Amino acid sequence: MQQGQFLAISRQSPERFASPMSFSLSNGTVVDILAEGIIGFSPAQAGNKDIVLSCGVHGNETAPIEICDELVKNVLTGELTLAHRTLFLFGNLPAMDIGKRFVEENMNRLFSGAHSEGEGLVNQERRRAKQLEDAVAAFYTALPVSSNSPERERIHYDLHTAIRASKNEKFAVYPYLHGLPHSKEQIAFMGACGVKTILLSDAPTTTFSYFSSHDFGAHSFTVELGKVRPFGENDMRRFADAKEMLTQLISQHAITLPEFVEEDFDIYRIHQTINRTQEDFALHFGDDTPNFTDYKKGTLLASETGARYEAQADGEAIVFPNAKVAIGQRALLTVIPTTLDE
Ligand SMILES: [Zn+2]
């Protein structure tokens, strides 16, 4: 631990974190380890932000895991002093070990209680999703909110990398806000991270970012930082802006952001959510088609027995296609350009 090897110990000897532990660093930061892969920090002079950074909810999405591992290391060794309470979550440790997205079930469909529905907490992804939710809830509610204390700002960035290449390499999914306004400041922060494409959700989901947004009013995003590569094979220069901004976010009381200019961003809203309902579900574009490739109205995008799915508008683009999902799960999203205020 003195060398900051929290993730390595979590992966190799998770039993060492079987019960929660707490200790202080020499700079006064209190460290709370709730379980393997779950570590929170409370600096002696904590600012008004409560920040959650999660990674590895998909085990093979390594670049964000490497970024968070390094940030945790730097905090533990005293190299980086935090300005705000920060919780780091390394999501799916067993999936990391086998270099797969998940072991039994896609964890990013198991939040907002979905882990306990149906057959219940029957696999490690379901139990872990619940444990991550509990950790987030405990972290956000640890400080009593009193009328004379300044507003606390809750933030959660769930960091991912996409399976396939993308025309817009980095993009973020903004969870459905149930009519509340989108935060221009938050989108400006995404822009400073190099994330210039924002996808606005139009409905509740069982993703991690929707959970913290909906249940705790956190400024929350699923952030896709590029394409999946194995550990050690990431060109970390491609992630330099994101890492720099995340470092500033947690270590500076206030950060200076460029003014939000909507024209600098590609903003999309979800148009169609296409689920696989039959064995013969097929996509009608190549396996290597990048995310955000757009089509003319009427183009056949996918089909299965009893259904044909076409682009319904010119410029409708595909995101997250995956014909191999389990029956009943989402196989494709389509999006169309929009503006923030629409
Ligand atoms: Zn992912």
Side-chain angles (χ1 to χ4, degrees), residues 184-202:
K184 296 192 165 88
E185 191 188 346
Q186 285 291 313
I187 296 176
F189 180 84
M190 287 294 133
C193 290
V195 178
K196 300 286 177 65
T197 299
I198 308 290
L199 210 163
L200 308 179
S201 289
D202 63 344

Side-chain angles (χ1 to χ4, degrees), residues 57-58 61 101 108 159-162 224:
V57 163
H58 294 134
E61 299 180 358
R101 189 169 167 79
N108 211 19
L159 307 171
H160 290 248
T161 50
E224 302 280 352

Side-chain angles (χ1 to χ4, degrees), residues 2-254:
Q2 274 87 36
Q3 288 146 32
Q5 301 289 336
F6 173 68
L7 177 59
I9 300 171
S10 290
R11 294 180 62 188
Q12 286 151 21
S13 316
E15 67 284 351
R16 287 178 57 183
F17 303 129
S19 42
M21 65 173 79
S22 186
F23 55 91
S24 294
L25 304 177
S26 56
N27 61 14
T29 300
V30 176
V31 183
D32 287 299
I33 299 178
L34 279 88
E36 69 273 18
I38 303 180
I39 186 166
F41 298 101
S42 300
Q45 300 291 328
N48 70 326
K49 291 175 186 160
D50 295 319
I51 302 163
V52 177
L53 297 179
S54 55
C55 63
V57 163
H58 294 134
N60 62 346
E61 299 180 358
T62 52
I65 300 169
E66 290 173 333
I67 291 172
C68 289
D69 184 29
E70 194 179 329
L71 292 175
V72 167
K73 205 170 284 179
N74 292 345
V75 176
L76 283 172
T77 56
E79 202 174 303
L80 182 69
T81 303
L82 294 176
H84 302 282
R85 297 176 69 239
T86 305
L87 176 67
F88 288 92
L89 304 169
F90 297 88
N92 198 337
L93 301 172
M96 285 176 211
D97 291 341
I98 58 171
K100 292 272 167 56
R101 189 169 167 79
F102 53 82
V103 180
E104 290 184 70
E105 204 173 350
N106 178 0
M107 195 188 283
N108 211 19
R109 297 287 175 277
L110 292 174
F111 292 94
S112 293
H115 47 70
S116 297
E117 287 166 12
E119 61 268 49
L121 299 168
V122 291
N123 59 43
Q124 69 92 16
E125 268 101 12
R126 286 176 170 244
R127 291 187 290 274
R128 184 65 166 176
K130 181 176 188 318
Q131 189 177 37
L132 296 177
E133 281 188 6
D134 292 346
V136 169
F139 179 73
Y140 280 144
T141 57
L143 292 186
V145 178
S146 76
S147 53
N148 58 5
S149 74
E151 276 289 302
R152 296 201 66 75
E153 185 176 33
R154 292 169 175 170
I155 292 171
H156 176 201
Y157 301 140
D158 185 34
L159 307 171
H160 290 248
T161 50
I163 302 174
R164 61 180 57 221
S166 176
K167 278 177 74 181
N168 310 42
E169 190 196 53
K170 297 178 171 59
F171 62 98
V173 181
Y174 208 138
Y176 181 51
L177 295 180
H178 297 264
L180 293 173
H182 296 99
S183 164
K184 296 192 165 88
E185 191 188 346
Q186 285 291 313
I187 296 176
F189 180 84
M190 287 294 133
C193 290
V195 178
K196 300 286 177 65
T197 299
I198 308 290
L199 210 163
L200 308 179
S201 289
D202 63 344
T205 57
T206 48
T207 60
F208 202 7
S209 62
Y210 175 79
F211 165 75
S212 49
S213 169
H214 181 253
D215 285 28
F216 298 100
H219 292 296
S220 192
F221 291 88
T222 305
V223 188
E224 302 280 352
L225 287 175
K227 193 168 183 290
V228 167
R229 304 203 193 281
F231 279 116
E233 291 182 21
N234 293 299
D235 176 358
M236 293 314 276
R237 283 169 304 182
R238 304 177 84 91
F239 305 97
D241 289 346
K243 191 174 151 195
E244 168 61 24
M245 291 313 297
L246 293 173
T247 304
Q248 286 189 24
L249 175 73
I250 62 179
S251 65
Q252 297 183 7
H253 275 270

